Amino acid sequence: MPTLLIINDTTGLPNWGGQATAAALQQIMRDEVPDAEIKLLSHAWMNRSYWSRRNPLGGTKVIQTQKKKNPGRAKLFAFEPMVADEFESVANEWMSSGAHEDAKEYIALLSEVDAVIFNAEGAVYRTNRQARKGLFMLWLAKTKFDVPAFFVNGSITLTRVDPVLQGMMRKTFSVIDGVAVREPVSYRSLKEYVPDAEANVFPDAVFYFGQGDMEPASKEYEALRSRLGDTPYFCLSPSMLPMDYSRGPSESAVLKVVQELKRVVPQAVLMAKDRMDQFLEDIAERTDSIYFGPEYGYWDQMRTLEGASFMISGRYHHNIHAVVMGCPCIPLTTTSHKIEGLCEMVDNEIGPPFDATDLKYHLGEIADRARGIVEAGEAKRHRLLVVAEHLQDEARGTGRMVHGVLAAEAVA
């Protein structure tokens, strides 16, 4: 019975996409790797903050804190490598007798598991800490402990600005057993900057959840469904990019979009799980719309999308949830190219994204696209469901990749 360690488990994130991804990825592994047992290291574990300060009696003291501010005359402790050239020296620190507790925990796990899988949800871009730590942990598992290692379910955004991750990817991807990115634009970004890297393109794990996989409806959803009745509605959630709201809520671009789209479909459901999105509660009140807040789960969101006329969103997974449920999308840009990659992956059935930072300029086009979706009716929804079914099967590729390596090692 193989034991798989998934690092960066996003179950605990206050984010519908992160929660759905974690559940779907685990389900793929259970379905494709027979009798697999799964161990987890959480997103919070991956992103713990540590500080170090000098001990008056000599040496340094490392302090763990979940707070961002400096705990008094201390500096941020570099628990993971900052550049590829530090992999060996940091590995020596992690494997030493005086290693930090987190390093000891990870290395102890390596003696218990048959593979390490880095859930790269959250994207890999520029110099972000989660990417640096995850890439190093895969490299460490493979090169120092001969444990099969896999990078999966990630978007990769490499640029010439702060080009740190390129070297780390060259170092890690040249030795680990499998790399899978979740959309084609990320694949091209990887090949541009790390041309020797071998990688697969498998759809985001959330595509693995079909309509038949949903959990029973919650009481919150049932209340919402009763409130909506037979009134046609659309759904909206914002982008991770800055959006026009705080300087003038009554004239904000987001409010204008809601008002314009309510001329197309009479009711709006404004969706906000993440704290940064919860300004939509005020927009809902100002536009006489329905606020769908953090008390709802991701299955509630998917059920609500199933009945919606369309979804407009700059949230990557919200658009995926819509496609899976056959709900037409009007995508908005976000902080990386993953939305563009998603649009390409679904055969451009949802159209190119609009600029989330310049919505007033695109207001007429957004309304025209909404009207086109409504006029297309069930034919549009059917095409999306066909695409989603195809991507659901392709999403199994991540699990098949892991299973193939482990099966070959068992024979050898």
Side-chain angles (χ1 to χ4, degrees), residues 10-182:
T10 52
T11 302
L13 283 180
N15 173 283
W16 288 314
Q19 293 169 0
T21 294
L25 181 59
Q26 290 177 47
Q27 192 60 52
I28 289 171
M29 293 303 160
R30 290 191 180 98
D31 289 348
E32 297 299 324
V33 184
D35 302 316
E37 177 187 350
I38 295 176
K39 294 179 179 288
L40 304 169
L41 283 178
S42 69
H43 175 83
W45 189 97
M46 294 288 289
N47 289 277
R48 286 175 182 169
S49 295
Y50 294 92
W51 303 82
S52 64
R53 63 185 175 199
R54 290 184 178 180
N55 190 323
L57 301 178
T60 59
K61 181 180 181 180
V62 176
I63 309 151
Q64 178 186 340
T65 176
Q66 300 302 325
K67 297 178 182 178
K68 291 186 178 179
K69 69 179 185 179
N70 190 316
R73 295 190 177 183
K75 64 180 181 178
L76 194 63
F77 179 67
F79 188 57
E80 64 283 330
M82 301 300 291
V83 295
D85 281 336
E86 292 183 348
F87 273 37
E88 289 287 352
S89 58
V90 174
N92 291 335
E93 291 176 7
W94 280 43
M95 295 186 296
S96 71
S97 59
H100 190 273
E101 289 179 5
D102 283 8
K104 290 179 179 178
E105 180 182 359
Y106 178 60
I107 288 171
L109 283 168
L110 291 179
S111 68
E112 302 171 0
V113 302
D114 298 289
V116 177
I117 300 165
F118 175 30
N119 170 29
E121 156 61 19
V124 177
Y125 56 91
R126 288 175 62 172
T127 61
N128 66 315
R129 183 184 184 202
Q130 180 179 299
R132 288 186 285 108
K133 192 169 186 176
L135 290 167
F136 167 71
M137 289 170 70
L138 293 180
W139 176 88
L140 181 70
K142 184 63 180 179
T143 61
K144 304 302 181 183
F145 297 89
D146 198 28
V147 175
F150 303 88
F151 175 103
V152 307
N153 206 56
S155 289
I156 293 176
T157 307
L158 300 178
T159 75
R160 291 177 177 83
V161 180
D162 295 332
V164 166
L165 291 181
Q166 286 88 319
M168 291 187 164
M169 287 183 180
R170 278 194 297 272
K171 196 172 188 74
T172 298
F173 288 177
S174 65
V175 298
I176 64 175
D177 298 89
V179 176
V181 296
R182 60 189 180 180

Side-chain angles (χ1 to χ4, degrees), residues 46 70 97 123 126 179 193 202 230 234 275 293 314 320 379 384 397:
M46 294 288 289
N70 190 316
S97 59
R126 288 175 62 172
V179 176
Y193 290 97
F202 296 130
D230 295 327
F234 69 92
R275 185 179 295 276
I320 293 178
L384 282 172

